[in-house]
Amino acid sequence: MKLLVVVLILLVQGCSNMEEVTCPPVTKFNSLESEELNQTVLNNDFMSGCVTELVSDLEALQSTESQNQCQNDFDETLSYDQWMTIYNSCMIK
């Protein structure tokens, strides 16, 4: 269910402008967000390959034109909220 929510969020964002290829900007985290993401990764266990798979699945939702024309690494364009959703979806509870 969480995976579906993540996919839908990014699908809506990716489909908002179908005619023009615009590359998503690289996301810069503030120090608090960066620390919270690091602590989440260090203090929890995750299902093997889950984070990588979710990021790959989300990247595959991008248009072919966007994938071919954009120079940024896809994972650098994900926001703090997107990363937290991915980590929470993959966390072993």
Side-chain angles (χ1 to χ4, degrees), residues 3-14 58 82 85:
L3 174 59
L4 179 61
V5 172
V6 171
V7 171
L8 288 176
I9 289 171
L10 288 173
L11 183 59
V12 168
Q13 290 175 346
L58 294 173
Q82 289 170 316
T85 301

Side-chain angles (χ1 to χ4, degrees), residues 11-52:
L11 183 59
V12 168
Q13 290 175 346
C15 293
S16 62
N17 188 354
M18 297 293 273
E19 294 186 19
E20 195 175 298
V21 175
T22 56
C23 297
V26 172
T27 303
K28 300 290 184 193
F29 302 120
N30 65 43
S31 58
L32 180 61
E33 290 172 333
S34 184
E35 182 62 28
E36 286 181 11
L37 284 171
N38 287 332
Q39 289 303 313
T40 298
V41 171
L42 293 173
N43 294 330
N44 295 284
D45 293 319
F46 301 92
M47 292 181 280
S48 179
C50 181
V51 172
T52 303

Side-chain angles (χ1 to χ4, degrees), residues 64-81:
T64 304
E65 293 82 13
S66 179
Q67 289 178 11
N68 293 335
Q69 293 180 14
C70 297
Q71 300 297 317
N72 299 336
D73 289 333
F74 178 76
D75 59 333
E76 293 178 351
T77 66
L78 298 176
S79 70
Y80 169 80
D81 291 329

